[in-house]
Structures are given as C-alpha cells and as structure tokens.
Amino acid sequence: MATISPEGRVVMVSGAARGLGRAIARRLIDDGYSVSLGARDIDALRAAHEGAPEAGRLFRSYNAVDPATAESWVDATVERFGRIDALINNAGILRQFALEDSDAEDKLDELYRTNVRGPLTLTRLAFLHLRRCGQGRVVNINSLSGLRVGRDDFVGYSMSKFALSALSHATRKAGFGDGVRTTNLCPSLMDTEMVEALGAPEELKIRPDSVADMVSMLLALPNTASVAELPINVFNEPGY
Amino acid sequence: MGDRLNGKVAIVTGAGASGPGWGNGKATAILFAREGAKVFGVDRSEEAVRETAEIAKAEKIAFTLRVADITEPDEVDKLVARCLELYGRIDILHNNVGIFELGSLDKDRDYFEHVQRVNMTSMFLMAKAVVPQMIEQGDGGAIINLASVAATHYTGAAYSIYATTKSAVIGFTRAIAMENAAHRIRCNAILPGVVNTPLALEPIRKRVGADEFQKILGERDAMVPIGRAATGWDVAKAALYLASDEASYVTATEIVVDGGLTAQFG
C-alpha cells in the first residue's frame, strides 16, 4: 500500500464550524475517517455537519483561548474513540494592524492567544496519543503569512503565523522518532469567512476544497513520505 | 499499563529524585501515570523533574512537569492554578516532599524551622490550595501524605527534629481527613521504614568508600524482618492503593510500609 487507509483512524479538527475547517471535516468524513470536531459555537458546528453519517463523529465545544476546553475535548475524543491519529490545528483568527497603530500590542496578544497558544496546547495534550499510534499526523493550518510578510496591516497576523511555523517544525522534530509526521500548511488568500472583510475578488482566492484535498493527501501519506511544509499560492509572488 | 487511576488528575510533589535512581515521589509519579492518571509533577529541581518527564515520555504516559518551591504560598497557588487551567480538575494530591535530616538538640532554631518548613509547611500549603477545589468539584478526592516510622518509633538515630515533622504529618492527616470527610475527600498517611532512595543513600555514598557503602546496604537489609530495605516502588504501590477508588472507604489512617521493622519494637 502506498497510502494509509482512513479506516479506524481518528482525526481532530479545530475550528470545524466554518471556512476551511468545515471543508476539511467534510472531506475527512467522506474519506471514511472518524472525526472529532471542535468549535466555539457547538450549535453552528452541528448545523455545519448536519446530514453527515452519525457514526464516527464527535462534536465538542472548543475555544482556543481556553485551555480547559482543549483538555476536555482531547479527553472526550479518547473516551469516545480510544485513540487520536491526527490533529488538524485549523482554528485561527485574523486581526489587522500596521506597525504604528496604537492598538498593536492588544491585537498581538489576541492573535497569539488563538493562533499560537491554542495550537500549542492542543498539540501538547494530543501528543501522547499521536505518539502512541505510531503514525500520528499533525497538520497546522498556517498561511503564506507564516513564511513571508505581505501586507502592511498584517504585522501581528504574520508574527503569530511565523510563531506557528516554529511550532510546526518543533512538533515535526519532537514526534518524528515515534512516527508523528507534521506539516506546516501555508495557503495564500482563501475564499473563507475569515478573509471576507479583505474584499478580494473570488477568482483571486484559493477554494477551501482544494486545501481540504491536500489535507486528505497528507493524512494518507505513509511515514516514509514526510511533508514538512506546503506553501500554496494563488498569486504569482516573488519567492513563492 | 493499568487503569486503576483512569481519568484522574494527580499532583505529585517532589516528583524528581534527588539523585540517580528511584525516589518515592518519582516512582509514585510514574506508577500513577502508568495506571492512567494525568500526573502534574512538581519539584524544586528542574533537572530532577525533567528526568522523570523523560521517563514518562519514553513510556508514552501522561506527565507534565512544574518547577516550584512549595514552601512559598505564591508558588503553590500558581502551580495549582496552572494544573486547573490545563486539566480542569484535581482528584489526587500526593504530598511527597520531605527532607531527611539527622540532628537533635545540637541544632539551632533556624535549622529546626527549616525542616518544619520543608516537611510540614509544604503539605499545609498544598492542602490549603487543593482542598477547596476538591470540595467545589463535589465528587471527593484523595490526599496522601508521606510521614515516616520515625513519627511513632525511635529507631536508634538522633533525629528529633525530623521525627517532630513526621509526627505532625500524622496529626495533620487525621485532622484534614475528618474536617473533609463529608465531602468524601480522603486523607491518609504512609509511614515508610528503611527505604533505599537517592535521598537516603546519596549522603552515605558520598561519605564512605564503595566497600563500606556495600556493607551499609547489607546492614540496612538486615535491619528489616522481611530481609530487605524498601524501594521507592514499595511506597508508590501503597500510594496507588490509597489514591485509587479501591480505597474509597479508607480515610484518616496510616499505612505502615516498613517490612515489619517497627513491629519488632512492640
């Protein structure tokens, strides 16, 4: 077999109620994975996945700024399925400020809490289970802003996403010996609710389904094919 | 891997060993985690507790380390808050921290108060921070305090100061147990005898030559009716029982883990 079968594997997806997280969750359900989905608004989460087969699904309230919800979500996942095979750190927020804005520090704290501390806590709590299964996968939904600084008002967003890149590579190194493969997945502008406010035309945004396909592929690759980083462009940018 | 503590969150103080090998706290922390507990291991020495964390990592069992001086109220409050932030609850408090010090009327007040602080004040502060949380959780809890047979028996060594702290542990244990029995918070003490832990052996090893050290090890074994000194694991296994639901009717008492040592004295 060139790929690992989804059968019996359990995947946690954070921020699965909307945008890219919803697309990833749907794709993984279609693939046949058992999914444990977390989001702030549990009703929106259920509504987003209505009609999907009941078996092999768990919905939990998860707020990236509240580590206790990370713990209870990880616990509930292990209690229900007995294992965790993959973690998709998808939950993230966008806050814009430029270098000279007076609210820079406050917005940076907010970005770090969700985009950096959130994935750190989830990874740490799930790591034991990912290591135990011998072929764990972590996909950190990052951004091209985690690899280069783009817009002037993305100072804090980029800082938080660079930090997430560091977490991705640290996770890859820490888990490699136990078969945990980690990918720093870095799409450019996507067609999701989060970036709606930026007002870019649809044809200049990546479709969430395209990224969900890539996540599906990353989970299926065997231990012998580790993808450390995956930048995804929509524009022709110098360097990327 | 067992399941006797599945789903429970345990704070173990003194979770690092003070030298090479297995101390009571290190063995207990690892045993609790092997039995399914999420262990929040505290030690004043980062080096010591990190070694315990490395063992847990290799065994793929749940252990989080925390460096703190638990004779300081601020540090105790912070570590308990951190444990709650991470795990949302505390089911087991294993008060293992303690130092063994020879010395009696030859010592001064500062020394006496130092040993009190490490061996007794630390337990008071930990219980003070954890018990209200256990009450709030509403489904009981288990507290285990490490005392010693020195609390009840004179075993031939001059350690009145150490004995005072360990007698205090027994009184404290019974009082905390009774004050909180209605909340189903159980509190018990363990009284180890001769235990070959790094804490007990390293000072001897540093003082004497290798041959002399082997001779002392032989003497320690010979002192005990059962024919051997205890290890940290003997203490850890008693702690596991007291921490588990198997001991749900056991409170305000002591378990002597001494291989028959004190029974000889009547």
Side-chain angles (χ1 to χ4, degrees):
Chain A
M1 277 289 282
T3 59
I4 317 170
S5 161
E7 202 180 328
R9 292 169 79 202
V10 177
V11 188
M12 295 179 72
V13 184
S14 70
R18 57 176 209 160
L20 178 57
R22 180 178 55 205
I24 292 170
R26 285 180 177 171
R27 173 60 201 254
L28 298 182
I29 290 169
D30 287 348
D31 284 350
Y33 289 96
S34 294
V35 292
S36 175
L37 308 179
R40 276 175 293 186
D41 184 343
I42 187 98
D43 295 328
L45 181 62
R46 287 184 203 283
H49 299 283
E50 219 175 344
E54 277 297 324
R57 278 188 305 152
L58 178 67
F59 298 119
R60 290 293 289 204
S61 171
Y62 163 69
N63 188 344
V65 302
D66 180 359
T69 64
E71 174 68 16
S72 64
W73 181 27
V74 169
D75 278 357
T77 305
V78 173
E79 199 171 308
R80 167 76 180 274
F81 299 111
R83 56 189 294 147
I84 299 169
D85 296 87
L87 168 65
I88 317 296
N89 275 313
N90 167 76
I93 56 167
L94 172 64
R95 298 284 181 272
Q96 292 158 259
F97 66 84
L99 199 53
E100 288 166 284
D101 291 355
S102 60
D103 58 354
E105 285 81 2
D106 290 344
K107 282 185 172 165
L108 182 71
D109 286 348
E110 205 184 341
L111 283 159
Y112 261 71
R113 267 198 300 278
T114 297
N115 293 357
V116 183
R117 284 185 66 127
L120 169 66
T121 302
L122 265 186
T123 305
R124 192 164 52 72
L125 294 172
F127 211 49
L128 182 66
H129 305 284
L130 294 165
R131 289 167 61 232
R132 273 180 185 160
C133 77
Q135 49 182 20
R137 297 290 179 264
V138 178
V139 181
N140 288 337
I141 305 301
N142 204 325
S143 162
L144 277 189
S145 291
L147 302 174
R148 53 99 177 102
V149 179
R151 301 162 52 121
D152 290 349
D153 58 351
F154 270 31
V155 175
Y157 184 68
S158 229
M159 286 172 77
S160 74
K161 290 301 192 179
F162 267 69
L164 181 59
S165 289
L167 175 65
S168 298
H169 296 301
T171 306
R172 182 168 52 81
K173 288 182 168 205
F176 210 92
D178 289 314
V180 181
R181 299 292 177 261
T182 302
T183 304
N184 194 37
L185 184 69
C186 302
S188 175
L189 210 56
M190 298 203 15
D191 188 10
T192 59
E193 287 92 329
M194 192 180 87
V195 297
E196 229 168 43
L198 300 177
E202 210 169 286
E203 63 275 17
L204 290 180
K205 290 190 214 168
I206 303 167
R207 291 183 49 208
D209 287 348
S210 306
V211 178
D213 285 345
M214 295 182 207
V215 172
S216 169
M217 175 201 73
L218 290 169
L219 296 191
L221 288 174
N223 282 10
T224 45
S226 171
V227 181
E229 202 151 75
L230 190 50
I232 307 157
N233 275 95
V234 59
F235 310 107
N236 184 12
E237 293 186 51
Y240 287 96
Chain B
M1 292 278 296
D3 59 1
R4 290 167 69 187
L5 301 180
N6 253 4
K8 293 186 192 290
V9 176
I11 296 180
V12 176
T13 70
S18 59
W22 293 88
N24 294 329
K26 185 177 173 181
T28 303
I30 292 294
L31 186 61
F32 281 10
R34 281 179 186 165
E35 292 292 335
K38 277 175 279 203
V39 177
F40 191 85
V42 184
D43 205 283
R44 68 180 166 171
S45 159
E46 172 158 3
E47 190 189 349
V49 72
R50 199 166 282 289
E51 193 185 307
T52 311
E54 286 298 322
I55 292 165
K57 189 182 171 206
E59 294 194 17
K60 298 178 188 178
I61 52 179
F63 181 92
T64 300
L65 70 83
R66 175 83 183 191
V67 178
D69 175 356
I70 62 165
T71 65
E72 293 295 338
D74 286 357
E75 293 197 32
V76 168
D77 290 345
K78 276 186 202 153
L79 81 87
V80 169
R82 181 64 184 146
C83 182
L84 288 173
E85 189 192 15
L86 282 180
Y87 299 120
R89 59 184 292 113
I90 300 165
D91 302 287
I92 299 160
L93 168 60
H94 186 72
N95 271 324
N96 165 77
V97 158
I99 47 176
F100 173 73
E101 299 283 341
L102 285 172
S104 188
L105 301 180
D106 54 317
K107 300 288 185 183
D108 62 15
R109 184 191 65 179
D110 287 350
Y111 183 85
F112 180 88
E113 289 181 346
H114 166 68
V115 182
Q116 287 288 343
R117 201 174 150 92
V118 176
N119 287 6
M120 190 57 247
T121 308
S122 63
M123 288 191 188
F124 168 75
L125 292 176
M126 288 301 304
K128 184 177 164 62
V130 167
V131 167
Q133 172 62 29
M134 287 178 168
I135 291 173
E136 193 184 319
Q137 287 167 200
D139 51 1
I143 300 173
I144 300 138
N145 297 328
L146 260 286
S148 163
V149 294
T152 53
H153 290 76
Y154 176 67
T155 57
Y159 48 41
S160 70
I161 300 172
Y162 178 74
T164 303
T165 66
K166 292 304 186 182
S167 297
V169 169
I170 294 179
F172 180 69
T173 300
R174 291 184 189 174
I176 294 299
M178 298 314 292
E179 288 166 21
N180 297 286
H183 296 291
R184 286 185 294 124
I185 296 169
R186 300 181 295 103
C187 186
N188 296 287
I190 296 176
L191 278 61
V194 181
V195 192
N196 283 342
T197 62
L199 182 76
L201 293 183
E202 283 313 298
I204 302 171
R205 196 198 301 274
K206 278 174 193 152
R207 210 172 56 231
V208 303
D211 289 349
E212 178 68 10
F213 183 66
Q214 285 307 317
K215 189 170 152 256
I216 289 172
L217 284 182
E219 285 167 7
R220 287 171 69 86
D221 287 341
M223 279 169 77
V224 184
I226 221 165
R228 67 166 177 89
T231 69
W233 297 103
D234 294 309
V235 174
K237 286 170 192 167
L240 172 60
Y241 166 68
L242 290 173
S244 75
D245 291 339
E246 295 156 35
S248 62
Y249 204 66
V250 178
T251 194
T253 190
E254 300 90 41
I255 294 188
V256 178
V257 182
D258 73 348
L261 181 72
T262 50
Q264 305 178 98
F265 306 137

